[in-house]
Amino acid sequence: MSDLPPGGPPAGTGTTARRRGRPPRTESADTRDRILTAARDEFSERGYEKTSVRGIAKAAGVDSALVHHYFGTKEQVFEAAITQSFGPALQAPKAVEEGPLDGVGERLTRFFFGVWENPATRAPLLAVVRSAVTNETAAAVFRRIVATQALRRIAGRLDLPDAELRAELAAAQLVGTAMLRYVIKVEPLASADTEQIIARLAPVVQRHLTEP
Amino acid sequence: MSDLPPGGPPAGTGTTARRRGRPPRTESADTRDRILTAARDEFSERGYEKTSVRGIAKAAGVDSALVHHYFGTKEQVFEAAITQSFGPALQAPKAVEEGPLDGVGERLTRFFFGVWENPATRAPLLAVVRSAVTNETAAAVFRRIVATQALRRIAGRLDLPDAELRAELAAAQLVGTAMLRYVIKVEPLASADTEQIIARLAPVVQRHLTEP
DNA sequence: GTCTATATTTAGATAGAC
DNA sequence: GTCTATCTAAATATAGAC
């Protein structure tokens, strides 16, 4: 809308000349975000193949050409949306991995369902799961999540044989539950109380990780 | 593995006039089967959305119009391919559910990996998993498999509270492992020895099902 | 920065010839 | 029973106007 005069700082007078930091993109930072959020939601609901750039654009209230203008190909839109989503809330807090080893099963299980029960953090995970079964980019992200969440951070502390395999089988229990509960929606699991599920899974995860 | 012998006499042989039973479809029974097998393989490798009817036709060595001629829409091709695939080898044998309860964890786990390690029986399962995350028909099949394999047949015998939930969490452990091993291919799980995995999972499955 | 217009490709589905 | 030809719809992606 209101155009910046191209080139130098605004000829505008008396006001403070605060032209530092990143050059303003008018209101496009907003638009960029709206597109990425719309993309994240579309990918999470439909998966990679079924999602169209046009659908993303529509959901964001812009034209599809603009989506391409910002991010390039559909694949790059996916990458951008996922990358942005995984910045903030998806790293397991240090408390999960740093506490006493014999409570790690419950802490990890609790953290896992905390993330999945929150619609905002569930969306990017759904996007990855729904896309990873047929899209290699998403599969790579999936692998990275499993590796960084389960392996580097926890398996490293286990002083047991097959530490990595153990961590992955624990992850498999959690991932499989998420799959059946949030994606396939198998009953009664899909409607079961979270605490009840955690109560059943925590000892199993613990067992995978520490049982000699 | 070994295909069921088709009901009627083979098309080519009979010189004698045995015109009874179903009217002959010349060699089309062959073609039908080739199409369904090709469909099963395409769906298993690419998932529902990414698979095209043209791709199926090409793999079967026929024209895409013929695929429609036999089966109708793409959705119906999927249904036919899955239905055929799940006739023979995918029911858990009675031994799995009928033996002593305290060995059911190992028997079920062994059966599960037996099916997944066999390329012929793995294909339709991959097709369902790859498709179920975005396709409701496939999701319904998935649900039915979990229900009939895990629930009706085993949970019914458990004299414990939350028998169904228990069975589904056991299924989640197995499904999650298949997901990470065969679909996402997370290492070292993807290359691990089957016996090693079974040794770790069987007691966990057992625990889900019978631990008081 | 944002949209209109369009080139290009690919897919699902059907009619009809042989 | 099988294929050729074709209609129709949708998608990715780009060029260029405003």
Side-chain angles (χ1 to χ4, degrees):
Chain A
M1 307 270 174
S2 57
D3 310 307
L4 292 179
T13 50
T15 55
T16 56
R18 49 174 66 186
R19 277 287 166 266
R20 252 184 305 164
R22 75 144 188 271
R25 279 198 256 159
T26 317
E27 65 172 357
S28 78
D30 244 30
T31 306
R32 257 185 82 99
D33 264 19
R34 283 213 327 280
I35 293 175
L36 284 186
T37 303
R40 193 236 297 145
D41 291 345
E42 293 285 308
F43 284 124
S44 78
E45 281 170 29
R46 305 188 216 292
Y48 183 82
E49 318 294 342
K50 228 171 171 172
T51 295
S52 71
V53 176
R54 289 155 129 98
I56 294 170
K58 190 172 201 172
V62 299
D63 189 274
S64 70
L66 193 59
V67 179
H68 284 123
H69 174 69
Y70 276 131
F71 303 104
T73 71
K74 177 181 172 181
E75 188 87 24
Q76 292 170 315
V77 176
F78 181 80
E79 281 201 45
I82 294 302
T83 302
Q84 169 187 269
S85 297
F86 283 160
L90 238 132
Q91 291 290 58
K94 291 202 190 93
V96 168
E97 62 225 43
E98 281 181 357
L101 255 189
D102 71 347
V104 70
E106 168 151 6
R107 293 199 305 279
L108 183 59
T109 305
R110 239 173 231 297
F111 167 72
F112 184 84
F113 283 98
V115 173
W116 273 96
E117 287 293 320
N118 178 346
T121 45
R122 185 194 301 180
L125 290 175
L126 270 180
V128 169
V129 172
R130 288 222 160 93
S131 303
V133 293
T134 54
N135 179 277
E136 178 48 34
T137 300
V141 174
F142 200 143
R143 266 178 235 119
R144 217 197 53 216
I145 295 178
V146 172
T148 57
Q149 294 291 331
L151 295 189
R152 305 263 181 286
R153 304 173 83 96
I154 293 176
R157 285 184 61 196
L158 306 180
D159 196 13
L160 290 166
D162 307 317
E164 290 192 326
L165 185 63
R166 284 163 171 274
E168 285 177 1
L169 292 175
Q173 172 73 79
L174 297 174
V175 166
T177 306
M179 191 68 181
L180 296 186
R181 177 178 169 90
Y182 301 106
V183 182
I184 310 294
K185 298 188 172 66
V186 173
E187 295 294 355
L189 178 54
S191 307
D193 179 58
T194 315
E195 284 301 324
Q196 195 185 2
I197 298 174
I198 293 175
R200 294 209 169 274
L201 292 192
V204 168
V205 172
Q206 181 73 36
R207 180 198 167 110
H208 274 307
L209 294 177
T210 60
E211 169 98 356
Chain B
M1 183 82 61
S2 59
D3 300 317
L4 295 179
T13 50
T15 49
T16 56
R18 48 173 69 183
R19 279 286 164 264
R20 250 181 309 161
R22 75 144 187 273
R25 282 197 254 157
T26 317
E27 66 172 355
S28 78
D30 244 30
T31 306
R32 257 185 84 99
D33 264 20
R34 283 214 326 280
I35 293 174
L36 284 186
T37 302
R40 192 238 297 148
D41 291 345
E42 292 286 306
F43 284 124
S44 79
E45 280 170 28
R46 305 187 216 293
Y48 183 82
E49 318 294 341
K50 228 171 172 172
T51 295
S52 70
V53 176
R54 290 156 129 97
I56 293 170
K58 189 172 202 172
V62 299
D63 190 273
S64 70
L66 192 59
V67 179
H68 284 123
H69 175 68
Y70 276 130
F71 302 104
T73 70
K74 177 181 170 181
E75 188 87 25
Q76 292 169 318
V77 176
F78 180 80
E79 281 200 45
I82 294 302
T83 302
Q84 168 187 270
S85 298
F86 284 159
L90 238 132
Q91 291 289 59
K94 293 202 189 94
V96 167
E97 62 224 43
E98 279 180 358
L101 255 189
D102 71 346
V104 70
E106 169 151 6
R107 293 198 304 279
L108 184 58
T109 305
R110 238 171 235 297
F111 168 72
F112 185 84
F113 283 99
V115 173
W116 273 96
E117 287 293 321
N118 178 343
T121 46
R122 185 194 300 181
L125 291 174
L126 269 181
V128 169
V129 172
R130 288 223 160 91
S131 302
V133 293
T134 53
N135 179 276
E136 179 48 35
T137 300
V141 174
F142 200 144
R143 267 179 234 117
R144 215 197 55 214
I145 295 178
V146 172
T148 57
Q149 294 289 330
L151 296 191
R152 306 262 182 286
R153 304 175 82 98
I154 293 176
R157 286 184 62 195
L158 306 179
D159 195 14
L160 290 166
D162 307 317
E164 289 193 326
L165 185 64
R166 284 162 172 274
E168 285 175 1
L169 292 176
Q173 171 74 79
L174 296 174
V175 166
T177 306
M179 191 66 182
L180 296 187
R181 178 177 167 92
Y182 302 106
V183 182
I184 309 295
K185 298 187 172 66
V186 172
E187 294 295 355
L189 178 55
S191 307
D193 179 59
T194 315
E195 284 301 324
Q196 194 183 3
I197 299 174
I198 294 175
R200 293 208 169 277
L201 292 193
V204 168
V205 172
Q206 181 72 37
R207 179 197 169 112
H208 274 307
L209 294 177
T210 60
E211 169 99 356

